[in-house]
Amino acid sequence: MRKIIVSATVALVAAVCFAAPSQAGYYSYGYKPHCFIKKVKAYDYYGNVIFKTVKVCK
């Protein structure tokens, strides 16, 4: 049973590693990705508000 779980995990990791580069965008001359800054409101341990800025590109 343990060998089956380990082999399934290895196969899944291999599939994800090969699929990740194919999801990358097509960058060529003149291509400019559309980026914007997203503000995320979070709270720290003491309940204070923290605004995190995240750059998102499409």
Side-chain angles (χ1 to χ4, degrees):
M1 182 73 173
R2 185 175 180 186
K3 289 182 181 180
I4 294 171
I5 294 173
V6 171
S7 62
T9 305
V10 170
L12 181 66
V13 168
V16 169
C17 289
F18 287 116
S22 66
Q23 297 295 326
Y26 176 69
Y27 294 100
S28 65
Y29 296 105
Y31 177 77
K32 294 181 182 177
H34 176 70
C35 298
F36 61 94
I37 304 296
K38 179 175 146 182
K39 291 183 181 178
V40 180
K41 183 166 73 170
Y43 298 95
D44 66 357
Y45 180 77
Y46 300 104
N48 299 323
V49 178
I50 298 173
F51 286 101
K52 296 179 182 179
T53 56
V54 180
K55 186 176 183 181
V56 179
C57 294
K58 292 185 179 180

